[in-house]
Amino acid sequence: MDIARIEAAAKRLAGHARRTPLLSSPFLDEIAGRRVLVKAECLQHTGSFKFRGAWSAISVLDPELRQRGVIAFSSGNHAQGIAAAARMHGIPAVIIMPSDAPDAKVAGTRGLGGEVVLYDRASEDRDAIGARLAAERGLTLIKPFDEPEVIAGQGTCGLEIAEQAAEAGVSEADVIVCCGGGGLTSGIALALEARAPGLRVRPAEPEGFDDVKRSLAAGEIARNAQLSGSICDAIVTPQPGELTFPIMRRLCGPGLAVSEEEALKAMQLAFRHLKVVAEPGGAVALAAALFHGDEIEGNAVVCTISGGNVDPEMFKRALDLPL
Amino acid sequence: MDIARIEAAAKRLAGHARRTPLLSSPFLDEIAGRRVLVKAECLQHTGSFKFRGAWSAISVLDPELRQRGVIAFSSGNHAQGIAAAARMHGIPAVIIMPSDAPDAKVAGTRGLGGEVVLYDRASEDRDAIGARLAAERGLTLIKPFDEPEVIAGQGTCGLEIAEQAAEAGVSEADVIVCCGGGGLTSGIALALEARAPGLRVRPAEPEGFDDVKRSLAAGEIARNAQLSGSICDAIVTPQPGELTFPIMRRLCGPGLAVSEEEALKAMQLAFRHLKVVAEPGGAVALAAALFHGDEIEGNAVVCTISGGNVDPEMFKRALDLPL
């Protein structure tokens, strides 16, 4: 993985992915005690950065292979990114989802043209179903983060941060990134290493699901004790990726972990002052920037809002919190 | 008023105002039955397009005069636009607000550096207070819409729409604009006349407060019967402006009027599919695009979300509506 691969992905994404804005508000600066620059990936197609990696991975496939279609396991943002990128390529996308996935996510993925295959978590083997379908129909599996072309696609977000931070006059700062498996985090870190070496990436996670933070501190991959029970579902993964962790270990500063209440408050503040919709997992980096200032150095901080796919009930919970 | 004045304003705004994105979603296209392109001015500084006109009017002042400061009457988006643009120029801004204005708006304007002067609606004369302060301190009054440099500033939004619609492959379409006094509507109409003549502006208003629609139909300025009682407070004005109406009459297609429920539903759909926050008055154009398709022609429609300054209670009301 190197910058050339990210730049190649950027060429393929040009005119297809959105160049999302770097937002700011004097009210957020005041809360944080420093300038806060927010990369609003919730405004990307399908409401999250995942579209970048999906487009990158699909667009690089051999055309004959690509025409047969792609397959992914996901009930969340990766599913929607794959479905939308596949439809824009005019190819089929099969998304394997658990039968107890929320109706809205199933409907959303179908609405983007994805062929949803449901399986029963208790009685069926997800991987076996995927392998059978892939073999029968010649589908290519697109993994959610531990895949070089996916990392390269997410890295295009880092190229934009490098340019937009320079335009804002910021050349030295921490760049806090919402982190699940580490695809976005490692991609941005590689882009900034080459294009803005004064910007240092720091992963942000929910408390209790901070496998990347603990892995970075230990110097080796650590796992989460649990995998459910977080409102930040979009960024909860068992452990950092085999490809992403070495990149994060080499390039990232210490991780940051925020409480669910802090994530919800960050959602409300993004509503009030940036006018964008963040989902809980997409708000952890902003929460770290606003409420963990003593763990951050410098006069400015950059953070991602990585996604905005949140249902109205959860959003209302964020709006109801006293600040 | 001509395109040269708008282009001069665009030069002054460059690097200060945001170039807001033109967003879209296949889900909105499906509801509307045609492509829907949404100019998200809620992402502008201070959460509305008003920053453009404020910056335009302040930046064009003679430097010596400007240094003394500016004054505006407003309890809403114009107040915040003026306060922010003045602070970025390093000059004082006095905002005259009624003493019964919501605390959040007073605090918001103060938070942006504005000096708020409260007056009692029942016992005090707003204009007299403003005239006295302006004379004493040499402040320049910036009117909210019926002022050429304000119209020119709002017109820069139209220059961006012309470019962004062309990038999206749209050269013929209605451009629905949330319309109060007509500053944004007339500015965009002038910009499109010169830069994208296949794009025709149509004002959108709330039912019962559709003075511009009725004025266009009658060929002369008509007034609203009432001035309060709309949740779309940001775009309720007594009548079209003396400067803006002739421009709208020459360039705009028929107006569109939407119900409050349609505006609230458009807010929810912008939340779900665009991940942006719209206020009721800022959502009327999207509501017209989505729910008044039979009054629109063509395969694509462009609309503005003109602002996102909405309190959490009103937003929750939008989220709770069945679609």
Side-chain angles (χ1 to χ4, degrees), chain B residues 258-287:
Chain B
V258 307
S259 70
E260 294 197 344
E261 185 174 296
E262 289 170 333
L264 289 166
K265 283 184 177 173
M267 289 167 64
Q268 183 184 148
L269 289 163
F271 162 87
R272 286 185 184 272
H273 301 302
L274 302 175
K275 314 304 175 191
V276 297
V277 176
E279 63 189 271
V284 295
L286 177 59

Side-chain angles (χ1 to χ4, degrees), chain A residues 103-192:
Chain A
D103 287 346
K105 288 191 171 175
V106 174
T109 305
R110 286 194 173 129
L112 290 164
E115 176 187 339
V116 174
V117 174
L118 298 172
Y119 72 97
D120 183 83
R121 283 184 206 259
S123 66
E124 292 185 284
D125 179 350
R126 181 184 91 155
D127 293 329
I129 296 172
R132 180 175 52 76
L133 280 170
E136 280 174 11
R137 296 171 50 177
L139 305 171
T140 302
L141 174 69
I142 312 279
K143 292 191 277 184
F145 53 86
D146 234 10
E147 151 60 44
E149 294 300 345
V150 169
I151 297 171
Q154 321 306 26
T156 63
C157 182
L159 296 180
E160 293 174 13
I161 290 173
E163 286 180 19
Q164 292 169 320
E167 282 166 18
V170 172
S171 58
E172 298 208 356
D174 280 354
V175 176
I176 309 179
V177 179
C178 306
C179 188
L184 181 63
T185 309
S186 61
I188 291 177
L190 286 168
L192 296 182

Side-chain angles (χ1 to χ4, degrees), chain A residues 52-318:
Chain A
R52 295 179 186 266
W55 184 278
S56 171
I58 291 174
S59 61
V60 83
L61 291 176
D62 173 81
E64 204 168 320
L65 187 63
R66 180 169 61 220
Q67 209 50 44
R68 295 178 164 195
V70 294
I71 185 168
F73 302 99
S74 168
S75 61
N77 289 335
H78 180 55
Q80 296 185 64
I82 291 289
R87 180 157 74 171
M88 287 159 80
H89 275 90
I91 64 165
V94 176
I95 315 290
I96 316 251
M97 301 177 88
S99 52
D100 59 354
D103 287 346
K105 288 191 171 175
V106 174
T109 305
R110 286 194 173 129
L112 290 164
E115 176 187 339
V116 174
V117 174
L118 298 172
Y119 72 97
D120 183 83
R121 283 184 206 259
S123 66
E124 292 185 284
D125 179 350
R126 181 184 91 155
D127 293 329
I129 296 172
R132 180 175 52 76
L133 280 170
E136 280 174 11
R137 296 171 50 177
L139 305 171
T140 302
L141 174 69
I142 312 279
K143 292 191 277 184
F145 53 86
D146 234 10
E147 151 60 44
E149 294 300 345
V150 169
I151 297 171
Q154 321 306 26
T156 63
C157 182
L159 296 180
E160 293 174 13
I161 290 173
E163 286 180 19
Q164 292 169 320
E167 282 166 18
V170 172
S171 58
E172 298 208 356
D174 280 354
V175 176
I176 309 179
V177 179
C178 306
C179 188
L184 181 63
T185 309
S186 61
I188 291 177
L190 286 168
L192 296 182
E193 178 191 26
R195 291 286 166 267
L199 300 182
R200 177 180 69 154
V201 168
R202 301 188 54 188
E205 296 168 294
E207 284 173 1
F209 301 87
D210 58 346
D211 52 303
V212 173
K213 179 184 178 185
R214 288 184 293 106
S215 298
L216 288 172
E220 59 180 21
I221 287 179
R223 292 178 63 84
N224 282 320
Q226 76 248 49
L227 285 176
S228 60
S230 171
I231 60 170
C232 303
D233 56 293
I235 60 168
V236 169
T237 47
Q239 60 178 60
E242 299 290 338
L243 294 181
T244 59
F245 180 63
I247 300 167
M248 292 193 282
R249 191 179 172 198
R250 181 167 69 81
L251 296 174
C252 291
L256 297 148
V258 308
S259 70
E260 294 197 343
E261 185 173 299
E262 287 170 336
L264 289 166
K265 283 184 177 175
M267 289 167 64
Q268 183 184 147
L269 289 163
F271 161 87
R272 286 183 183 274
H273 301 303
L274 302 176
K275 314 305 174 190
V276 297
V277 176
E279 63 188 269
V284 295
L286 177 59
L290 295 176
F291 305 125
H292 291 250
D294 55 343
E295 301 172 52
I296 301 167
E297 287 177 21
N299 297 324
V301 62
V302 182
C303 58
T304 61
I305 290 182
S306 57
N309 292 314
V310 55
D311 67 44
E313 289 311 311
M314 181 65 75
F315 202 73
K316 283 159 62 182
R317 203 173 133 189

Side-chain angles (χ1 to χ4, degrees), chain A residues 18 21-24 26-27 42-43 45 47 87 108 111-112 271-272 274-277 308-313 315-316 319-320, chain B residues 18 21-24 26-27 42-43 45 47 87 108 111-112 271-272 274-277 308-313 315-316 319-320:
Chain A
R18 290 198 185 115
L22 192 67
L23 302 175
S24 61
F27 295 99
C42 50
L43 302 177
H45 293 298
R87 180 157 74 171
L112 290 164
F271 161 87
R272 286 183 183 274
L274 302 176
K275 314 305 174 190
V276 297
V277 176
N309 292 314
V310 55
D311 67 44
E313 289 311 311
F315 202 73
K316 283 159 62 182
L319 293 182
D320 281 337
Chain B
R18 290 199 185 114
L22 192 67
L23 301 175
S24 62
F27 296 99
C42 50
L43 302 176
H45 293 298
R87 180 155 76 173
L112 290 164
F271 162 87
R272 286 185 184 272
L274 302 175
K275 314 304 175 191
V276 297
V277 176
N309 292 314
V310 54
D311 66 44
E313 289 310 312
F315 202 73
K316 284 159 61 182
L319 294 182
D320 282 338

Side-chain angles (χ1 to χ4, degrees), chain B residues 97-183:
Chain B
M97 301 176 88
S99 53
D100 58 355
D103 287 347
K105 288 192 172 173
V106 174
T109 305
R110 285 193 173 129
L112 290 164
E115 177 188 338
V116 174
V117 174
L118 298 173
Y119 72 97
D120 184 82
R121 284 183 204 258
S123 66
E124 292 185 284
D125 178 351
R126 183 185 89 154
D127 293 328
I129 296 172
R132 180 175 52 76
L133 280 169
E136 280 174 10
R137 295 170 52 176
L139 305 171
T140 302
L141 174 69
I142 313 279
K143 291 191 278 184
F145 54 85
D146 233 11
E147 151 60 44
E149 294 300 345
V150 169
I151 296 171
Q154 322 306 27
T156 63
C157 181
L159 296 180
E160 294 174 14
I161 289 173
E163 287 180 20
Q164 292 168 319
E167 284 166 17
V170 172
S171 59
E172 298 210 354
D174 280 353
V175 176
I176 309 179
V177 179
C178 305
C179 188

